[in-house]
Amino acid sequence: MDELPEEEKPGIPAWVVTFADLMSLLMCFFVLLLSFSEIDAQKFKQIAGELSKAFGVQRDVPALEIPKGTSPIFDKFSPAPPEPTVVNEVKQTTTEEAPELQTLKSPTDMAVEAAMEEQLQETMDEILKVLEPAIADGRINVSEDQRRIVIRVEEKGSFPSGSAQLTWEFEGLLLDMAEVIEGIPGDLTIEGHTDNVPIRTDRFYSNWDLSAARAAAVANVLVARDQVEPTRLSVTGLADTEPRVPNSSAENRAKNRRVEIIIDLSGPMQEQEVRLRELIQSESDDDQSALGIESDSSTSNEISW
C-alpha cells in the first residue's frame, strides 16, 4: 500500500524575501539622508574626491614641485622648492608716455641724460642754498617738475592778509633770489593765487586784482636791480581758479593763498642737449674706444648755463 505524502507545512511566501531586501535598502537610504543633515565640508570634499578617483573623473593635478630636469646618468628628477611671488596679484597698467627701455638706450643717450640731470640738480641745490632759511620756516617750497623749477611763496610772512605789500624781510629774500635767477636761463612765470573768499576793498575789487597785484609785486623786486631781464618775465593773476587743496577749511585756504615763481628750463636744456650730443659725436668719430671715458668727463665740464 502506497504511503500517503506528508502534509505540507505552511511557510513564508516567496515575495517576502524581496520585500525584506527593499526595506533594508530603504532603511540604508534614510540613514544616509540623516547623515547628510549635518555636513562636514572637509569630510564631504574628501569623500567626493575619493569617489571621483574611483569613477575615473578627469581632473587637473596641481604641480606642487617643479622638477629641474633629468640626468643622463640617474633616471630621477631633482626637484627644487617653489619660489613664492612677491605680490598676490598682478595688474596691468597703461601710460601715455612712449615706452622706452633703459637697456635699449645708446651710451650717448645715457651720457646726455646723466649730464642734464646733474645740471638740473646743481641748479636746484643753488636755489635751495639761498632759500634755506625761508624753507625751514615753511614760507617757501621748492620742487622740480618736468624740467621746471617751481618756487612756491606762501602767504605766511610774505604778504599781510588782504594786501599786496611785501614784508621787508621777504623783499630782501627776493633780492638774494634775483642774484641766483640771473645766472639761470629760461622763461620766468610769476603766478598769483588766492582762496575762494571774496574780497572787495578800495584797493582790490576782487581776488583777480589781489592775485595779479601780488604777482606783480614779486616781479618788481626781481627786476629792481636789473639782475633779471624784464623780457623773461610774465605775470599772471589766477585768483582761486587753481587751488592746491579744496577751500574747505581755514588751513586749506591759507595753503591756496600763494605766489609761484616758475623757472622753465626746457628750452635751454634742450639746446644744451643738442650741443652735448654734437660734442660726444665728434669725440666718437675721433676715437671710438674712448667714448665711455672722455665723453663722461667732458660732460660735466662743457655743460653750464
Side-chain angles (χ1 to χ4, degrees):
M1 184 175 177
D2 296 335
E3 295 182 358
L4 295 174
E6 295 182 1
E7 184 178 358
E8 294 182 0
K9 297 181 180 180
I12 299 174
W15 59 268
V16 176
V17 178
T18 303
F19 180 79
D21 292 339
L22 180 60
M23 292 297 104
S24 299
L25 291 174
L26 287 175
M27 183 183 67
C28 293
F29 176 73
F30 284 112
V31 170
L32 183 62
L33 289 179
L34 180 62
S35 66
F36 280 176
S37 61
E38 296 181 0
I39 299 177
D40 188 339
Q42 186 65 25
K43 291 183 179 179
F44 181 78
K45 185 177 180 180
Q46 182 178 1
I47 294 173
E50 296 297 332
L51 289 176
S52 64
K53 292 179 182 179
F55 287 103
V57 178
Q58 187 176 2
R59 63 194 181 280
D60 294 332
V61 179
L64 300 180
E65 295 181 351
I66 303 175
K68 288 183 178 179
T70 56
S71 172
I73 300 176
F74 300 101
D75 191 17
K76 294 182 179 179
F77 286 110
S78 178
E83 295 292 338
T85 58
V86 179
V87 295
N88 295 327
E89 59 182 4
V90 178
K91 295 183 179 180
Q92 184 179 3
T93 58
T94 58
T95 178
E96 296 179 357
E97 299 179 358
E100 185 177 4
L101 296 178
Q102 185 72 20
T103 55
L104 299 181
K105 292 183 178 180
S106 65
T108 301
D109 293 336
M110 297 178 66
V112 170
E113 184 176 345
M116 303 314 294
E117 290 294 331
E118 182 180 356
Q119 181 63 36
L120 182 60
Q121 187 59 45
E122 289 179 0
T123 305
M124 283 284 292
D125 293 341
E126 193 174 356
I127 294 175
L128 292 174
K129 184 178 180 180
V130 175
L131 302 178
E132 184 178 359
I135 294 175
D137 294 341
R139 291 180 294 161
I140 288 182
N141 291 318
V142 181
S143 61
E144 184 266 327
D145 178 25
Q146 297 180 354
R147 295 186 174 183
R148 296 193 319 162
I149 298 177
V150 180
I151 304 174
R152 182 178 296 115
V153 180
E154 307 289 350
E155 185 188 46
K156 172 187 177 183
S158 305
F159 297 95
S161 179
S163 172
Q165 182 67 37
L166 289 168
T167 61
W168 179 83
E169 182 181 3
F170 183 66
E171 186 173 346
L173 184 62
L174 285 177
L175 292 175
D176 295 338
M177 191 189 306
E179 297 180 2
V180 179
I181 296 178
E182 181 184 9
I184 301 175
D187 296 330
L188 298 175
T189 303
I190 304 177
E191 297 179 350
H193 301 266
T194 65
D195 55 24
N196 64 343
V197 178
I199 185 174
R200 187 70 176 270
T201 63
D202 296 336
R203 174 70 174 83
F204 304 111
Y205 184 80
S206 66
N207 281 326
W208 293 100
D209 293 340
L210 177 60
S211 61
R214 286 183 171 180
V218 173
N220 289 332
V221 176
L222 292 179
V223 299
R225 296 180 179 177
D226 298 329
Q227 294 172 322
V228 179
E229 291 293 333
T231 55
R232 297 175 53 190
L233 288 173
S234 63
V235 176
T236 306
L238 298 175
D240 59 339
T241 58
E242 294 185 7
R244 291 172 55 196
V245 292
N247 289 289
S248 55
S249 63
E251 229 177 70
N252 287 357
R253 286 191 291 272
K255 293 180 180 179
N256 291 330
R257 296 191 296 268
R258 68 199 188 277
V259 174
E260 294 182 353
I261 304 172
I262 303 173
I263 307 174
D264 189 0
L265 298 174
S266 57
M269 291 186 72
Q270 188 174 4
E271 295 176 0
Q272 294 285 358
E273 187 175 346
V274 172
R275 289 200 295 266
L276 181 59
R277 287 181 184 277
E278 293 175 352
L279 176 64
I280 295 178
Q281 187 62 37
S282 62
E283 291 182 356
S284 176
D285 294 339
D286 296 339
D287 189 1
Q288 289 288 344
S289 62
L291 174 63
I293 300 175
E294 295 182 359
S295 62
D296 290 342
S297 61
S298 62
T299 295
S300 58
N301 296 330
E302 295 294 336
I303 296 299
S304 61
W305 301 126

